[in-house]
Amino acid sequence: MNFETSEITLHAAQTARDFAQQKIKPHVMEWDEKQEFPVHIFKELGQLGMMGVLVPEQYGGAGLSYFEYKTIIEEIAKVDGSIGLSVAAHNSLCTGHILLFANEEQKQKYLPKLATAEWIGAWGLTEPNTGSDAANMKCTAVRDGDNWVINGTKNWITHGITGDVAVVICRTGDPRAKNNATAFVVERGTPGFSGGKKENKLGMRASETAEMIFENCVIPDANRLGEVGEGFKQALAVLDGGRISIASLALGIAKGAYEAALQYSQERYQFDKPISSFQAISFKLADMFTEIQAAELLTLEACDLKEKKKPVSKVSAMAKYYASEVSVKVATDAVQIFGGYGYTKDFPVEKHYRDSKLCTIGEGTSEIQKIVIAREVLK
């Protein structure tokens, strides 16, 4: 693996960094307090190519690599994890699913609007009673001639209310049967498709998380992605890439917390010395830096494998698992270094602390990542 950062990646990093500082940072706490999902920000990111990072130029995307994608999410998440999360979900899940499994006609229809953020994308797998147990989902699609009728509810869906288009995985066979799920594209405005409850969350509060409700929602067979019964296999492939984005998100949050703690430790004096001069603090900083570096190397390895079209399930699960756990630990230590100030909303680390926890849950919990890793190791 080549560890040298390309000029393209450096340029993507600088563009994302400048945007985050100028357009996101001044509003972070305002959006967090109000749980405001700032759609206009994503439209602007779309104009910069950051909502279609991996989409080929022929479909209106930026046509960049996973290395640029990792960097863009990371730079945004340093400032606001919730904006980074929405960028990741739009790119990896909804847009990524269509990019991987749609036919040419479907790609031409959906990708240009998603890549520019004319349309915001959502992706629906999780349900109220089936998270990791997706084979037992209750949301069904029943064939009716040239149409499908969808009934059920999806929850914990990023952009579940605001998303203009959603990729939805529905059960088309018996519960727990093999190959019992199929993926469909459903556009907002389709009768029977609506947004439900918006979740009131601990962190990631500027990223909309909500229910999607389907009540006798009729869509044409032309909206089916791939073959009947392939939905869950497709979802697993999509999540392989999604884990890289969550690892990148976790890295960005960790780096944001670490950089704030490092600066504070050099400015805060106790007993006539900066607190960074005390071993208790300097050792925390050493651990934080080391763990971030290790998480970054795993994430870069996953990007490298993905770019080379090599098997990535094990390494992407390792990167997601390790980076997300490191993010929580680093954010916790950052709050500790700030002391009482770290517990207030006047300093950035309390938000990093709240945002970091989602990384160990979303797109497969840490426990699920261990199952994936163990299966690969025991093959």
Side-chain angles (χ1 to χ4, degrees):
M1 188 174 75
N2 183 2
F3 292 90
E4 188 175 345
T5 306
S6 73
E7 286 296 323
I8 296 172
T9 305
L10 289 171
H11 177 72
Q14 190 61 55
T15 304
R17 191 179 304 126
D18 291 345
F19 185 90
Q21 290 294 324
Q22 294 165 19
K23 298 295 183 76
I24 298 173
K25 189 174 181 179
H27 307 286
V28 168
M29 292 313 298
E30 172 195 347
W31 295 336
D32 184 76
E33 294 284 352
K34 294 180 180 177
Q35 287 210 95
E36 180 182 341
F37 179 57
V39 176
H40 68 282
I41 285 293
F42 300 98
K43 303 290 186 184
E44 291 182 50
L45 285 166
Q47 294 306 305
L48 293 172
M50 295 185 194
M51 298 295 274
V53 182
L54 303 168
V55 176
E57 292 180 25
Q58 71 189 86
Y59 301 116
L64 298 174
S65 75
Y66 265 84
F67 293 104
E68 287 79 55
Y69 182 42
K70 165 201 170 284
T71 300
I72 287 166
I73 293 173
E74 192 180 300
E75 290 297 337
I76 293 170
K78 279 185 190 178
V79 173
D80 191 340
S82 55
I83 304 301
L85 173 62
S86 278
V87 170
H90 175 93
N91 274 281
S92 283
L93 300 181
C94 180
T95 306
H97 198 135
I98 292 169
L99 184 60
L100 281 173
F101 296 107
N103 59 37
E104 186 58 30
E105 186 179 348
Q106 291 166 333
K107 288 179 181 179
Q108 293 284 358
K109 181 178 181 180
Y110 294 113
L111 289 178
K113 291 183 177 181
L114 287 165
T116 58
E118 179 183 342
W119 282 0
I120 301 293
W123 191 75
L125 176 65
T126 306
E127 298 181 6
N129 296 308
T130 56
S132 303
D133 183 19
N136 197 33
M137 66 177 70
K138 302 293 188 289
C139 185
T140 60
V142 177
R143 186 124 195 193
D144 181 17
D146 290 332
N147 296 320
W148 293 84
V149 183
I150 302 177
N151 280 287
T153 304
K154 298 290 182 180
N155 76 334
W156 310 115
I157 307 304
T158 307
H159 316 145
I161 295 170
T162 303
D164 300 284
V165 64
V167 173
V168 187
I169 294 88
C170 305
R171 182 163 57 78
T172 49
D174 294 330
R176 301 201 184 284
K178 192 174 182 181
N179 302 325
N180 71 343
T182 306
F184 302 91
V185 181
V186 187
E187 295 176 31
R188 189 69 62 183
T190 303
F193 174 33
S194 61
K197 176 192 173 188
K198 180 178 177 178
E199 302 296 343
N200 186 9
K201 307 193 300 287
L202 169 72
M204 302 291 195
R205 289 168 61 84
S207 178
E208 178 186 275
T209 305
E211 290 179 315
M212 293 195 301
I213 300 168
F214 301 90
E215 298 173 295
N216 293 319
C217 178
V218 180
I219 59 167
D221 187 54
N223 285 33
R224 172 170 49 83
L225 294 172
E227 298 302 318
V228 174
E230 289 185 346
F232 192 55
K233 290 179 182 175
Q234 292 178 8
L236 291 176
V238 169
L239 287 169
D240 270 350
R243 289 180 186 125
I244 295 173
S245 71
I246 300 300
S248 306
L249 178 69
L251 263 177
I253 294 169
K255 287 184 179 182
Y258 166 76
E259 289 170 9
L262 178 66
Q263 182 179 341
Y264 180 81
S265 73
Q266 293 168 316
E267 295 171 350
R268 169 72 167 171
Y269 274 67
Q270 292 288 276
F271 307 103
D272 303 318
K273 295 178 183 178
I275 61 171
S276 58
S277 67
F278 299 118
Q279 191 179 79
I281 302 300
S282 65
F283 277 19
K284 275 191 192 299
L285 293 167
D287 283 340
M288 293 159 84
F289 185 75
T290 301
E291 288 164 353
I292 287 170
Q293 290 293 104
E296 179 143 47
L297 288 172
L298 273 173
T299 308
L300 286 169
E301 184 181 1
C303 291
D304 187 57
L305 290 171
K306 191 74 175 170
E307 280 299 303
K308 292 174 179 173
K309 295 181 168 51
K310 292 184 177 180
V312 74
S313 294
K314 179 177 70 176
V315 176
S316 66
M318 289 163 62
K320 195 271 187 191
Y321 164 55
Y322 188 71
S324 62
E325 295 291 341
V326 163
S327 187
V328 172
K329 183 177 182 298
V330 167
T332 303
D333 284 345
V335 170
Q336 196 71 17
I337 288 170
F338 270 80
Y341 293 112
Y343 205 65
T344 72
K345 293 182 183 293
D346 296 326
F347 292 86
V349 291
E350 76 83 36
K351 185 176 184 300
H352 290 312
Y353 179 72
R354 288 185 289 111
D355 287 348
S356 66
K357 188 58 194 168
L358 186 276
C359 298
T360 70
I361 298 169
E363 294 193 36
T365 62
S366 290
E367 290 73 20
I368 288 294
Q369 305 312 315
K370 289 182 185 180
I371 290 172
V372 173
I373 297 162
R375 282 177 182 165
E376 292 290 327
V377 168
L378 294 168
K379 273 183 180 178

